[in-house]
Amino acid sequence: MTNRFGTTSDMVIQPVEENNILYLLAIDDKGLYLTAKERLDTGMADTYRYAAGRQSVHERLKGLGLDPEALITQNRHRVKVPGGETGKKINPLKASKRGLKS
């Protein structure tokens, strides 16, 4: 099952160091983002995945000498679409209510 909110190790492309801080560059269905090692494989939502604007991540990567467009192209195979193979969008509110049913 696809993790819609957290970050798993199969989403990580490479480590990136910025201002002496180590980040992990990851990819999801919306594009590239930077996250921390502590957020990896926790089973909880990754605030880094939704907190920063994706355009600022592209600018940060360009500043570090990386090509965001090439990274996206080379790592498309890591992207798992929420909703399975059909690509059907899932409403997170309804999904959370389904989990409460027993």
Coordinates of all heavy atoms in Angstrom, one line a residue:
M1 N 0.8 -1.2 0.0 CA 0.0 0.0 0.0 C 0.9 1.2 0.0 O 1.9 1.3 0.7 CB -0.9 0.0 1.2 CG -1.9 1.1 1.3 SD -3.0 0.9 2.7 CE -3.9 2.4 2.5
T2 N 0.5 2.3 -0.7 CA 1.2 3.5 -0.8 C 1.0 4.3 0.4 O -0.1 4.5 0.9 CB 0.7 4.3 -2.1 OG1 0.9 3.5 -3.2 CG2 1.6 5.5 -2.2
N3 N 2.1 4.9 0.9 CA 2.1 5.8 2.1 C 1.8 7.2 1.5 O 2.7 7.8 0.9 CB 3.4 5.7 2.8 CG 3.3 6.4 4.1 OD1 2.6 7.4 4.3 ND2 4.2 6.0 5.1
R4 N 0.6 7.7 1.8 CA 0.2 9.0 1.3 C 0.8 10.2 2.0 O 0.8 11.3 1.5 CB -1.3 9.1 1.2 CG -1.9 8.1 0.3 CD -3.4 8.3 0.2 NE -4.0 8.5 1.5 CZ -4.9 7.7 2.0 NH1 -5.3 6.6 1.4 NH2 -5.4 8.0 3.2
F5 N 1.2 10.0 3.3 CA 1.6 11.1 4.1 C 3.0 11.1 4.6 O 3.6 12.1 4.8 CB 0.6 11.2 5.3 CG -0.8 11.3 4.9 CD1 -1.7 10.3 5.1 CD2 -1.3 12.4 4.2 CE1 -3.0 10.3 4.7 CE2 -2.6 12.5 3.8 CZ -3.5 11.4 4.0
G6 N 3.5 9.9 4.8 CA 4.9 9.7 5.4 C 5.9 9.5 4.3 O 5.6 9.5 3.1
T7 N 7.2 9.4 4.7 CA 8.3 9.1 3.8 C 8.9 7.8 4.1 O 9.2 7.5 5.2 CB 9.3 10.2 3.9 OG1 8.8 11.5 3.6 CG2 10.5 10.0 2.9
T8 N 9.0 6.9 3.0 CA 9.6 5.6 3.2 C 11.0 5.6 2.5 O 11.2 6.5 1.6 CB 8.7 4.5 2.6 OG1 8.5 4.8 1.2 CG2 7.4 4.5 3.3
S9 N 11.8 4.7 2.8 CA 13.1 4.6 2.3 C 13.2 4.4 0.8 O 14.2 4.8 0.2 CB 14.0 3.5 3.0 OG 13.3 2.3 2.9
D10 N 12.1 3.8 0.2 CA 12.2 3.6 -1.2 C 11.9 4.9 -2.0 O 12.0 5.0 -3.2 CB 11.2 2.5 -1.7 CG 9.8 2.8 -1.3 OD1 9.5 3.6 -0.4 OD2 8.9 2.3 -1.9
M11 N 11.5 6.0 -1.3 CA 11.2 7.3 -1.9 C 12.5 8.2 -1.9 O 12.5 9.2 -2.6 CB 10.1 8.0 -1.1 CG 8.8 7.3 -1.1 SD 7.6 8.0 0.1 CE 7.2 9.5 -0.6
V12 N 13.5 7.8 -1.2 CA 14.7 8.6 -1.1 C 15.6 8.4 -2.3 O 15.9 7.3 -2.7 CB 15.5 8.2 0.2 CG1 16.8 9.0 0.3 CG2 14.6 8.5 1.4
I13 N 16.1 9.5 -2.8 CA 17.0 9.5 -4.0 C 18.4 9.6 -3.5 O 19.2 8.7 -3.9 CB 16.7 10.7 -4.9 CG1 15.3 10.6 -5.4 CG2 17.7 10.8 -6.0 CD1 14.8 11.8 -6.2
Q14 N 18.8 10.5 -2.7 CA 20.1 10.7 -2.2 C 20.2 11.6 -1.1 O 19.3 12.5 -0.9 CB 21.0 11.2 -3.4 CG 20.7 12.7 -3.8 CD 21.5 13.1 -5.0 OE1 21.7 12.4 -5.9 NE2 22.0 14.3 -4.9
P15 N 21.3 11.6 -0.3 CA 21.5 12.6 0.8 C 22.0 13.9 0.2 O 22.7 13.9 -0.8 CB 22.5 11.9 1.7 CG 23.2 10.9 0.9 CD 22.2 10.5 -0.2
V16 N 21.6 15.0 0.8 CA 22.1 16.3 0.4 C 22.5 17.1 1.6 O 21.7 17.1 2.6 CB 20.9 17.0 -0.4 CG1 21.3 18.4 -0.7 CG2 20.5 16.3 -1.6
E17 N 23.6 17.7 1.5 CA 24.1 18.6 2.7 C 24.0 20.0 2.3 O 24.4 20.5 1.2 CB 25.5 18.2 3.0 CG 26.0 18.9 4.3 CD 27.3 18.5 4.8 OE1 27.8 17.4 4.4 OE2 27.9 19.2 5.6
E18 N 23.2 20.8 3.1 CA 23.0 22.2 2.9 C 23.3 22.9 4.2 O 22.7 22.6 5.3 CB 21.6 22.4 2.4 CG 21.3 23.9 2.2 CD 19.9 24.1 1.7 OE1 19.0 23.6 2.4 OE2 19.7 24.9 0.8
N19 N 24.2 23.8 4.3 CA 24.6 24.6 5.5 C 25.0 23.7 6.6 O 24.5 23.9 7.8 CB 23.5 25.5 5.9 CG 23.2 26.6 4.8 OD1 24.1 27.0 4.1 ND2 21.9 27.0 4.7
N20 N 25.7 22.6 6.3 CA 26.2 21.7 7.3 C 25.1 20.9 8.0 O 25.2 20.3 9.1 CB 27.1 22.3 8.4 CG 28.3 22.9 7.8 OD1 28.9 22.3 6.9 ND2 28.8 24.0 8.4
I21 N 23.9 20.8 7.3 CA 22.8 20.0 7.8 C 22.5 19.0 6.7 O 22.4 19.3 5.5 CB 21.5 20.9 8.0 CG1 21.8 21.9 9.0 CG2 20.3 20.0 8.4 CD1 20.7 23.0 9.2
L22 N 22.4 17.7 7.1 CA 22.1 16.6 6.2 C 20.6 16.4 6.0 O 19.9 16.2 6.9 CB 22.8 15.3 6.7 CG 22.7 14.1 5.7 CD1 23.5 14.4 4.5 CD2 23.2 12.9 6.4
Y23 N 20.2 16.5 4.7 CA 18.8 16.2 4.4 C 18.8 15.0 3.5 O 19.8 14.6 2.9 CB 18.2 17.4 3.6 CG 18.1 18.7 4.4 CD1 19.0 19.7 4.3 CD2 17.0 18.9 5.3 CE1 18.9 20.9 5.0 CE2 16.9 20.0 6.0 CZ 17.8 21.0 5.9 OH 17.7 22.2 6.6
L24 N 17.6 14.5 3.3 CA 17.4 13.4 2.3 C 16.5 13.9 1.2 O 15.4 14.4 1.5 CB 16.8 12.2 3.0 CG 17.6 11.5 4.1 CD1 16.8 10.4 4.8 CD2 18.9 11.0 3.6
L25 N 17.0 13.8 0.0 CA 16.2 14.2 -1.2 C 15.2 13.0 -1.5 O 15.7 11.9 -1.7 CB 17.1 14.5 -2.3 CG 16.4 15.0 -3.6 CD1 15.6 16.2 -3.4 CD2 17.4 15.1 -4.7
A26 N 13.9 13.3 -1.5 CA 13.0 12.3 -1.8 C 12.0 12.8 -2.9 O 12.0 13.9 -3.2 CB 12.2 12.0 -0.5
I27 N 11.3 11.8 -3.5 CA 10.3 12.1 -4.5 C 9.0 11.5 -4.2 O 8.9 10.4 -3.7 CB 10.9 11.7 -5.9 CG1 10.0 12.2 -7.1 CG2 11.1 10.1 -5.9 CD1 10.7 12.0 -8.4
D28 N 7.9 12.2 -4.6 CA 6.6 11.6 -4.5 C 5.8 12.0 -5.7 O 6.4 12.5 -6.7 CB 5.9 12.0 -3.2 CG 5.6 13.5 -3.1 OD1 5.9 14.2 -4.0 OD2 5.0 13.9 -2.1
D29 N 4.5 11.8 -5.8 CA 3.7 12.1 -6.9 C 3.7 13.6 -7.3 O 3.3 14.0 -8.4 CB 2.3 11.5 -6.8 CG 1.6 12.0 -5.6 OD1 2.2 12.2 -4.6 OD2 0.3 12.2 -5.7
K30 N 4.0 14.5 -6.3 CA 4.0 15.9 -6.5 C 5.4 16.5 -6.9 O 5.5 17.6 -7.2 CB 3.5 16.6 -5.3 CG 2.0 16.3 -5.1 CD 1.5 17.1 -3.9 CE 0.0 16.8 -3.7 NZ -0.3 16.0 -2.6
G31 N 6.4 15.7 -6.8 CA 7.8 16.1 -7.1 C 8.8 15.9 -6.1 O 8.6 15.0 -5.2
L32 N 9.9 16.6 -6.1 CA 11.0 16.5 -5.1 C 10.7 17.3 -3.8 O 10.1 18.3 -3.9 CB 12.3 17.0 -5.8 CG 12.7 16.3 -7.1 CD1 13.9 17.1 -7.7 CD2 13.1 14.9 -6.8
Y33 N 11.3 16.7 -2.7 CA 11.2 17.5 -1.5 C 12.4 17.0 -0.6 O 13.0 15.9 -0.8 CB 9.9 17.3 -0.8 CG 9.6 15.9 -0.3 CD1 9.8 15.5 1.0 CD2 9.0 15.0 -1.2 CE1 9.5 14.2 1.4 CE2 8.7 13.7 -0.8 CZ 9.0 13.3 0.5 OH 8.7 12.0 0.9
L34 N 12.8 17.8 0.4 CA 13.9 17.5 1.3 C 13.3 17.1 2.6 O 12.3 17.8 3.1 CB 14.8 18.7 1.4 CG 15.6 19.1 0.2 CD1 16.3 20.4 0.4 CD2 16.6 18.0 -0.2
T35 N 13.8 16.1 3.2 CA 13.3 15.6 4.5 C 14.4 15.3 5.4 O 15.6 15.3 5.0 CB 12.3 14.5 4.4 OG1 11.7 14.2 5.6 CG2 13.0 13.2 3.9
A36 N 14.1 15.0 6.7 CA 15.2 14.6 7.7 C 15.2 13.1 7.9 O 14.2 12.4 7.7 CB 14.9 15.3 9.0
K37 N 16.3 12.6 8.2 CA 16.5 11.1 8.5 C 15.5 10.6 9.5 O 15.0 9.5 9.5 CB 17.9 10.8 8.8 CG 18.2 9.4 9.0 CD 19.6 9.1 9.3 CE 19.9 7.6 9.4 NZ 21.3 7.3 9.8
E38 N 15.2 11.5 10.5 CA 14.3 11.1 11.6 C 12.9 10.9 11.2 O 12.1 10.2 11.8 CB 14.3 12.2 12.7 CG 15.6 12.4 13.4 CD 16.6 13.3 12.6 OE1 16.1 14.2 11.8 OE2 17.8 13.0 12.7
R39 N 12.5 11.4 10.0 CA 11.2 11.3 9.5 C 11.0 10.0 8.6 O 9.9 9.7 8.2 CB 10.8 12.5 8.7 CG 10.8 13.8 9.5 CD 9.6 13.8 10.4 NE 9.5 15.0 11.1 CZ 8.5 15.3 11.9 NH1 7.5 14.5 12.0 NH2 8.5 16.4 12.5
L40 N 12.1 9.3 8.3 CA 12.1 8.2 7.4 C 11.5 6.9 8.1 O 11.9 6.6 9.2 CB 13.5 8.0 6.9 CG 13.7 7.1 5.7 CD1 13.0 7.7 4.5 CD2 15.2 6.9 5.5
D41 N 10.6 6.3 7.4 CA 10.0 5.0 7.8 C 9.4 5.0 9.3 O 9.5 4.0 10.0 CB 11.1 3.9 7.7 CG 11.4 3.6 6.3 OD1 10.5 3.7 5.4 OD2 12.6 3.3 6.0
T42 N 8.8 6.1 9.7 CA 8.2 6.2 11.0 C 6.8 5.7 11.0 O 6.2 5.4 12.1 CB 8.3 7.6 11.6 OG1 7.5 8.5 10.7 CG2 9.7 8.1 11.7
G43 N 6.1 5.7 9.8 CA 4.7 5.4 9.8 C 3.8 6.6 10.1 O 2.6 6.5 10.1
M44 N 4.4 7.7 10.4 CA 3.7 8.9 10.7 C 3.9 9.9 9.5 O 4.7 9.8 8.7 CB 4.2 9.5 12.0 CG 4.1 8.6 13.2 SD 4.7 9.3 14.7 CE 3.5 10.6 14.9
A45 N 3.0 10.9 9.5 CA 3.1 11.9 8.5 C 4.4 12.7 8.6 O 4.9 13.0 9.6 CB 1.9 12.9 8.6
D46 N 4.9 13.0 7.4 CA 6.2 13.7 7.3 C 5.9 15.2 7.1 O 5.4 15.6 6.0 CB 7.0 13.1 6.2 CG 8.4 13.8 6.1 OD1 8.7 14.8 6.8 OD2 9.2 13.3 5.3
T47 N 6.1 16.0 8.0 CA 5.7 17.5 7.9 C 6.6 18.1 6.8 O 6.2 19.1 6.2 CB 5.9 18.2 9.2 OG1 7.2 18.0 9.8 CG2 4.8 17.7 10.2
Y48 N 7.8 17.6 6.6 CA 8.7 18.2 5.6 C 8.1 18.0 4.2 O 8.3 18.8 3.3 CB 10.1 17.6 5.6 CG 10.9 18.0 6.8 CD1 11.1 17.1 7.9 CD2 11.5 19.3 6.9 CE1 11.9 17.5 9.0 CE2 12.3 19.6 7.9 CZ 12.4 18.8 9.0 OH 13.2 19.2 10.1
R49 N 7.3 17.0 4.0 CA 6.7 16.6 2.7 C 5.7 17.7 2.3 O 5.5 17.9 1.1 CB 6.1 15.2 2.8 CG 5.7 14.7 1.5 CD 5.3 13.2 1.7 NE 4.7 12.7 0.5 CZ 4.2 11.5 0.3 NH1 4.3 10.6 1.3 NH2 3.7 11.1 -0.8
Y50 N 5.0 18.3 3.3 CA 4.0 19.2 3.0 C 4.3 20.7 3.4 O 3.6 21.6 3.0 CB 2.7 18.8 3.6 CG 2.2 17.4 3.0 CD1 2.5 16.3 3.7 CD2 1.7 17.4 1.8 CE1 2.1 15.0 3.2 CE2 1.3 16.1 1.2 CZ 1.5 15.0 2.0 OH 1.2 13.8 1.4
A51 N 5.3 20.9 4.2 CA 5.5 22.2 4.8 C 6.1 23.2 3.8 O 5.7 24.3 3.8 CB 6.4 22.1 6.0
A52 N 7.1 22.8 3.0 CA 7.8 23.7 2.1 C 7.2 23.7 0.7 O 6.7 22.7 0.3 CB 9.3 23.3 2.0
G53 N 7.2 24.8 0.1 CA 6.8 24.9 -1.3 C 7.7 24.2 -2.2 O 8.9 24.2 -2.0
R54 N 7.2 23.5 -3.2 CA 8.1 22.7 -4.0 C 9.0 23.5 -4.9 O 10.1 23.1 -5.2 CB 7.2 21.8 -4.9 CG 6.3 20.8 -4.2 CD 7.2 19.7 -3.4 NE 6.4 18.9 -2.6 CZ 6.3 17.6 -2.7 NH1 6.8 17.0 -3.7 NH2 5.5 16.9 -1.9
Q55 N 8.6 24.7 -5.2 CA 9.4 25.6 -6.0 C 10.7 26.0 -5.3 O 11.8 26.1 -5.8 CB 8.7 26.8 -6.5 CG 9.4 27.6 -7.5 CD 9.7 26.8 -8.8 OE1 8.9 26.0 -9.2 NE2 10.8 27.2 -9.4
S56 N 10.6 26.2 -4.0 CA 11.7 26.6 -3.2 C 12.7 25.4 -3.1 O 13.9 25.7 -3.0 CB 11.3 27.0 -1.8 OG 10.8 26.0 -1.0
V57 N 12.2 24.2 -3.1 CA 13.1 23.1 -3.1 C 13.9 23.0 -4.4 O 15.1 22.8 -4.4 CB 12.3 21.7 -2.9 CG1 13.2 20.5 -3.1 CG2 11.7 21.7 -1.5
H58 N 13.3 23.3 -5.5 CA 14.0 23.3 -6.8 C 15.1 24.4 -6.8 O 16.2 24.2 -7.3 CB 13.0 23.6 -8.0 CG 12.2 22.4 -8.3 ND1 12.1 21.9 -9.6 CD2 11.4 21.6 -7.6 CE1 11.4 20.9 -9.7 NE2 10.9 20.6 -8.4
E59 N 14.8 25.6 -6.2 CA 15.8 26.6 -6.2 C 16.9 26.2 -5.3 O 18.1 26.5 -5.6 CB 15.1 27.9 -5.7 CG 14.1 28.5 -6.6 CD 14.6 28.8 -8.0 OE1 15.7 29.3 -8.2 OE2 13.9 28.5 -9.0
R60 N 16.6 25.6 -4.1 CA 17.7 25.1 -3.2 C 18.6 24.1 -3.9 O 19.8 24.1 -3.8 CB 17.1 24.6 -2.0 CG 16.5 25.6 -1.1 CD 15.6 25.1 0.0 NE 16.4 24.3 1.0 CZ 15.8 23.6 2.0 NH1 14.5 23.6 2.1 NH2 16.6 22.9 2.8
L61 N 18.0 23.2 -4.7 CA 18.8 22.2 -5.3 C 19.7 22.8 -6.4 O 20.8 22.4 -6.6 CB 17.8 21.1 -5.9 CG 17.1 20.2 -4.9 CD1 16.1 19.3 -5.7 CD2 18.1 19.4 -4.1
K62 N 19.1 23.8 -7.2 CA 19.9 24.4 -8.2 C 21.1 25.1 -7.5 O 22.2 25.2 -8.1 CB 19.1 25.4 -9.0 CG 18.1 24.7 -9.9 CD 17.3 25.7 -10.7 CE 16.3 25.0 -11.6 NZ 15.4 26.0 -12.3
G63 N 20.9 25.7 -6.4 CA 22.0 26.4 -5.6 C 23.0 25.4 -5.2 O 24.2 25.8 -5.0
L64 N 22.7 24.2 -5.0 CA 23.7 23.1 -4.6 C 24.3 22.5 -5.8 O 25.1 21.5 -5.7 CB 23.0 22.1 -3.7 CG 22.5 22.6 -2.4 CD1 21.6 21.5 -1.7 CD2 23.7 22.9 -1.5
G65 N 23.9 22.9 -7.0 CA 24.5 22.3 -8.2 C 23.8 21.1 -8.7 O 24.4 20.4 -9.5
L66 N 22.6 20.8 -8.3 CA 21.9 19.7 -8.8 C 20.8 20.1 -9.8 O 20.3 21.3 -9.7 CB 21.2 19.0 -7.6 CG 22.1 18.4 -6.6 CD1 21.4 17.9 -5.4 CD2 22.9 17.2 -7.2
D67 N 20.4 19.3 -10.7 CA 19.4 19.6 -11.7 C 18.1 18.9 -11.3 O 18.0 17.6 -11.5 CB 19.9 19.1 -13.1 CG 18.9 19.4 -14.2 OD1 18.0 20.1 -14.0 OD2 19.2 18.9 -15.3
P68 N 17.1 19.6 -10.8 CA 15.9 19.0 -10.3 C 15.1 18.3 -11.4 O 14.5 17.2 -11.2 CB 15.1 20.2 -9.8 CG 16.0 21.3 -9.7 CD 17.2 21.1 -10.6
E69 N 15.1 18.9 -12.6 CA 14.3 18.2 -13.7 C 14.9 16.9 -14.1 O 14.2 15.9 -14.3 CB 14.3 19.2 -15.0 CG 13.4 20.4 -14.8 CD 14.0 21.5 -14.0 OE1 15.3 21.5 -13.8 OE2 13.3 22.3 -13.4
A70 N 16.3 16.8 -14.1 CA 16.9 15.5 -14.5 C 16.7 14.5 -13.3 O 16.5 13.3 -13.6 CB 18.4 15.8 -14.7
L71 N 16.7 15.0 -12.1 CA 16.5 14.1 -11.0 C 15.1 13.5 -11.0 O 14.9 12.3 -10.7 CB 16.7 14.8 -9.6 CG 18.1 15.1 -9.3 CD1 18.2 16.0 -8.1 CD2 18.9 13.8 -9.0
I72 N 14.1 14.3 -11.4 CA 12.7 13.8 -11.5 C 12.6 12.8 -12.6 O 12.0 11.7 -12.4 CB 11.7 15.0 -11.7 CG1 11.6 15.9 -10.5 CG2 10.4 14.5 -12.2 CD1 10.8 17.1 -10.7
T73 N 13.2 13.1 -13.7 CA 13.2 12.2 -14.9 C 13.8 10.8 -14.5 O 13.3 9.8 -14.9 CB 13.8 12.8 -16.1 OG1 13.2 14.0 -16.4 CG2 13.7 11.9 -17.3
Q74 N 15.0 10.9 -13.9 CA 15.7 9.6 -13.6 C 15.1 8.8 -12.5 O 15.4 7.6 -12.4 CB 17.1 10.0 -13.1 CG 18.0 10.6 -14.2 CD 19.2 11.3 -13.7 OE1 19.5 11.3 -12.5 NE2 20.0 11.8 -14.5
N75 N 14.2 9.4 -11.7 CA 13.7 8.7 -10.5 C 12.1 8.5 -10.5 O 11.5 8.3 -9.5 CB 14.1 9.4 -9.2 CG 15.6 9.3 -9.0 OD1 16.0 8.3 -8.6 ND2 16.3 10.4 -9.3
R76 N 11.5 8.6 -11.7 CA 10.1 8.4 -11.9 C 9.7 7.0 -11.4 O 8.5 6.9 -10.9 CB 9.7 8.6 -13.3 CG 9.7 10.0 -13.8 CD 8.2 10.5 -13.7 NE 8.3 11.8 -14.3 CZ 7.7 12.9 -13.7 NH1 7.1 12.7 -12.6 NH2 7.7 14.0 -14.3
H77 N 10.5 6.1 -11.5 CA 10.2 4.7 -11.1 C 9.9 4.6 -9.5 O 9.3 3.6 -9.1 CB 11.3 3.7 -11.5 CG 12.6 4.0 -10.8 ND1 13.5 4.9 -11.1 CD2 13.1 3.3 -9.7 CE1 14.5 4.9 -10.3 NE2 14.3 3.9 -9.4
R78 N 10.4 5.6 -8.8 CA 10.2 5.6 -7.3 C 8.8 6.1 -6.9 O 8.4 5.9 -5.8 CB 11.2 6.4 -6.6 CG 12.6 5.9 -6.8 CD 13.6 6.8 -6.1 NE 15.0 6.5 -6.4 CZ 15.7 5.6 -5.7 NH1 15.2 5.0 -4.7 NH2 16.9 5.4 -6.0
V79 N 8.1 6.7 -7.8 CA 6.8 7.4 -7.5 C 5.7 6.3 -7.5 O 5.6 5.6 -8.5 CB 6.5 8.5 -8.5 CG1 5.1 9.1 -8.2 CG2 7.6 9.5 -8.5
K80 N 5.0 6.3 -6.4 CA 3.8 5.4 -6.3 C 2.6 6.3 -6.2 O 2.6 7.2 -5.4 CB 4.0 4.5 -5.1 CG 5.1 3.5 -5.2 CD 5.2 2.6 -4.0 CE 6.2 1.5 -4.2 NZ 7.6 2.0 -4.1
V81 N 1.6 6.0 -7.0 CA 0.4 6.9 -7.1 C -0.5 6.5 -6.0 O -0.9 5.3 -5.9 CB -0.2 6.7 -8.5 CG1 -1.5 7.6 -8.6 CG2 0.7 7.1 -9.6
P82 N -1.0 7.4 -5.2 CA -2.0 7.1 -4.2 C -3.3 6.7 -4.9 O -3.7 7.2 -5.9 CB -2.2 8.5 -3.5 CG -1.0 9.3 -3.7 CD -0.5 8.8 -5.1
G83 N -3.9 5.6 -4.3 CA -5.1 5.1 -4.9 C -4.8 3.9 -5.8 O -5.7 3.4 -6.4
G84 N -3.6 3.4 -5.8 CA -3.3 2.2 -6.5 C -3.0 2.5 -8.0 O -2.7 3.6 -8.4
E85 N -3.1 1.4 -8.8 CA -2.8 1.5 -10.2 C -3.8 2.3 -11.0 O -3.5 2.8 -12.0 CB -2.8 0.1 -10.8 CG -1.7 -0.8 -10.2 CD -0.3 -0.3 -10.5 OE1 0.0 0.2 -11.6 OE2 0.5 -0.4 -9.5
T86 N -5.0 2.5 -10.5 CA -6.1 3.2 -11.2 C -5.8 4.7 -11.2 O -6.3 5.4 -12.0 CB -7.4 3.0 -10.6 OG1 -7.4 3.4 -9.2 CG2 -7.8 1.5 -10.6
G87 N -5.0 5.2 -10.2 CA -4.8 6.6 -10.1 C -6.0 7.4 -9.5 O -6.0 8.6 -9.6
K88 N -6.9 6.7 -9.0 CA -8.1 7.3 -8.4 C -7.7 8.1 -7.2 O -7.0 7.6 -6.3 CB -9.1 6.2 -8.1 CG -10.4 6.8 -7.5 CD -11.4 5.7 -7.2 CE -12.6 6.2 -6.4 NZ -13.5 5.2 -6.0
K89 N -8.2 9.3 -7.1 CA -7.8 10.2 -6.0 C -8.6 9.7 -4.7 O -9.7 9.3 -4.8 CB -8.1 11.6 -6.2 CG -7.2 12.2 -7.2 CD -7.4 13.7 -7.3 CE -6.4 14.3 -8.3 NZ -6.4 15.7 -8.2
I90 N -7.9 9.7 -3.6 CA -8.5 9.3 -2.3 C -8.7 10.5 -1.4 O -7.8 11.3 -1.3 CB -7.6 8.3 -1.6 CG1 -7.5 7.0 -2.5 CG2 -8.2 7.9 -0.3 CD1 -6.5 6.0 -2.0
N91 N -9.9 10.6 -0.9 CA -10.2 11.7 0.1 C -9.7 11.2 1.4 O -10.2 10.3 2.0 CB -11.7 11.9 0.1 CG -12.1 13.0 1.0 OD1 -11.3 13.4 1.9 ND2 -13.3 13.6 0.8
P92 N -8.7 11.9 2.0 CA -8.1 11.5 3.3 C -9.1 11.5 4.4 O -8.9 10.7 5.3 CB -7.0 12.5 3.5 CG -6.9 13.4 2.4 CD -8.0 13.1 1.4
L93 N -10.1 12.4 4.4 CA -11.1 12.4 5.5 C -11.9 11.1 5.5 O -12.2 10.5 6.5 CB -11.9 13.6 5.4 CG -11.2 15.0 5.6 CD1 -12.2 16.1 5.3 CD2 -10.6 15.0 6.9
K94 N -12.3 10.7 4.3 CA -13.1 9.5 4.2 C -12.2 8.3 4.5 O -12.7 7.3 5.2 CB -13.7 9.3 2.8 CG -14.8 10.3 2.5 CD -15.4 10.1 1.2 CE -16.6 11.0 0.9 NZ -17.1 10.8 -0.5
A95 N -11.0 8.3 4.1 CA -10.1 7.2 4.4 C -9.9 7.0 5.9 O -9.8 5.9 6.4 CB -8.8 7.4 3.7
S96 N -9.7 8.2 6.6 CA -9.5 8.1 8.0 C -10.8 7.6 8.7 O -10.7 6.9 9.7 CB -9.1 9.4 8.6 OG -10.1 10.4 8.4
K97 N -11.9 7.9 8.2 CA -13.2 7.4 8.8 C -13.4 5.9 8.6 O -13.9 5.2 9.4 CB -14.4 8.2 8.3 CG -14.4 9.6 8.8 CD -15.6 10.4 8.2 CE -15.6 11.8 8.7 NZ -16.7 12.6 8.0
R98 N -12.9 5.4 7.5 CA -13.0 4.0 7.2 C -12.2 3.2 8.2 O -12.5 2.1 8.5 CB -12.5 3.7 5.8 CG -13.5 4.1 4.7 CD -13.0 3.6 3.3 NE -13.7 4.4 2.3 CZ -13.1 5.2 1.5 NH1 -11.8 5.3 1.5 NH2 -13.8 5.9 0.6
G99 N -11.0 3.8 8.6 CA -10.2 3.1 9.5 C -10.8 3.0 10.9 O -10.4 2.1 11.7
L100 N -11.7 3.8 11.2 CA -12.4 3.8 12.5 C -13.5 2.7 12.6 O -13.8 2.3 13.7 CB -13.0 5.2 12.8 CG -12.1 6.3 13.0 CD1 -12.8 7.6 13.2 CD2 -11.2 6.1 14.2
K101 N -14.0 2.3 11.5 CA -15.0 1.3 11.5 C -14.4 -0.1 11.9 O -13.3 -0.4 11.5 CB -15.6 1.1 10.1 CG -16.4 2.4 9.7 CD -17.0 2.2 8.3 CE -17.8 3.4 7.9 NZ -18.3 3.3 6.5
S102 N -15.2 -0.8 12.6 CA -14.7 -2.1 13.0 C -15.8 -3.2 12.8 O -16.8 -3.1 12.5 CB -14.3 -2.2 14.5 OG -15.2 -1.5 15.3

